[in-house]
Amino acid sequence: MREYRHPQITEVQLESVLYALSDPIRLSIVRQLAREGEASCAALENGRPKSSVSHHFRVLREAGIIKTRNDGTSRINGLRDNELAEVFPGLLPAILAVRS
Amino acid sequence: MREYRHPQITEVQLESVLYALSDPIRLSIVRQLAREGEASCAALENGRPKSSVSHHFRVLREAGIIKTRNDGTSRINGLRDNELAEVFPGLLPAILAVRS
DNA sequence: TCTATAGTTCGATATAATTCGAACAATAGC
DNA sequence: GCTATTGTTCGAATTATATCGAACTATAGA
């Protein structure tokens, strides 16, 4: 599959990040990535339809929160936490510190 | 007018806060409140229809981000920043630190 | 009491997001 | 090449949000 387009971290919008993280499913995906590091989409599906999960990954990716790379038939997702810390210092840690 | 219902700070949902702040108009209201302290709704209208602005204040209030009290014919709004810091430490400061 | 001021609420419309099945695409392994 | 595995994309239905005019409520002040 083709590569994804990830926004430059400098063009990431605060509003888009907040919106992306305001969805419980997406927030739980981000929490899981924070706990476990990288993960495939399948590892984060939790029984939901693949198309729905794929949609949420897209929102997170386009908001600049995760990066996705190809590995065989899998996509490996990871947080862009270091980059986010450059433009929104403290934001992701503050969110992840909240009891799930 | 009757009093508003404000959620207890302990029942405020992180997702609701993030959602409320993901709207540019609401975020700008919050930034303005952070800069100037308390303000009436009218002071934050910026030429928008009153009914639209009222809607955004409601979203912010129900999310637990602002408190509103009556003062004559005006409502005075203020951030619940101290309370929010108890449940989501560092969140609001991280958001407000971002260049508008 | 009359009028102005400040917001809320209602209702209708328009726009956007979510959800998920079905079809499709890309890779790995036999 | 065939098949299984992983996801993506499309399309359609449902749901949620935003927007804003109009009617309404509540208070202040003359």
Side-chain angles (χ1 to χ4, degrees):
Chain A
M1 254 162 203
R2 64 186 173 293
E3 294 294 314
Y4 300 94
R5 270 186 321 201
H6 297 85
Q8 293 290 115
I9 200 64
T10 51
E11 59 193 23
V12 167
Q13 304 268 25
L14 175 62
E15 288 89 336
S16 308
V17 169
L18 297 178
Y19 179 77
L21 296 176
S22 73
D23 180 273
I25 296 175
R26 290 193 292 261
L27 187 54
S28 83
I29 288 174
V30 167
R31 280 200 230 267
Q32 216 165 326
L33 285 176
R35 272 201 313 275
E36 306 172 10
E38 296 190 316
S40 68
C41 297
L44 301 165
E45 276 177 7
N46 283 95
R48 301 179 178 279
K50 296 196 302 178
S51 53
S52 300
V53 175
S54 184
H55 162 73
H56 288 304
F57 273 102
R58 173 134 84 129
V59 174
L60 288 170
R61 190 161 47 236
E62 294 182 346
I65 297 170
I66 64 171
K67 58 181 174 308
T68 308
R69 64 169 210 275
N70 293 330
D71 179 28
T73 61
S74 296
R75 325 279 155 252
I76 307 295
N77 304 282
L79 289 180
R80 297 177 67 178
D81 45 0
N82 290 335
E83 290 175 284
L84 284 170
E86 293 172 22
V87 287
F88 308 134
L91 179 61
L92 203 50
I95 290 171
L96 292 172
V98 178
R99 79 288 176 243
S100 53
Chain B
M1 255 163 203
R2 65 189 174 290
E3 294 294 313
Y4 299 94
R5 270 185 322 200
H6 295 86
Q8 293 289 114
I9 200 64
T10 50
E11 59 192 21
V12 167
Q13 303 267 34
L14 175 60
E15 288 89 337
S16 308
V17 170
L18 298 178
Y19 178 77
L21 296 177
S22 73
D23 179 273
I25 295 175
R26 291 193 291 262
L27 186 54
S28 83
I29 289 174
V30 167
R31 279 200 232 267
Q32 214 165 327
L33 285 176
R35 272 202 312 275
E36 305 171 11
E38 296 189 315
S40 68
C41 297
L44 301 165
E45 278 178 5
N46 282 96
R48 300 180 180 279
K50 295 197 304 180
S51 53
S52 300
V53 175
S54 185
H55 162 72
H56 289 303
F57 273 101
R58 174 134 85 126
V59 174
L60 288 170
R61 192 182 312 119
E62 293 182 347
I65 297 170
I66 64 172
K67 55 182 176 309
T68 308
R69 63 169 211 276
N70 293 330
D71 179 29
T73 59
S74 296
R75 324 283 155 250
I76 307 294
N77 304 284
L79 288 181
R80 297 178 68 178
D81 45 1
N82 289 336
E83 290 176 284
L84 285 170
E86 292 172 21
V87 287
F88 308 135
L91 179 62
L92 203 51
I95 290 170
L96 292 172
V98 178
R99 80 284 178 246
S100 50

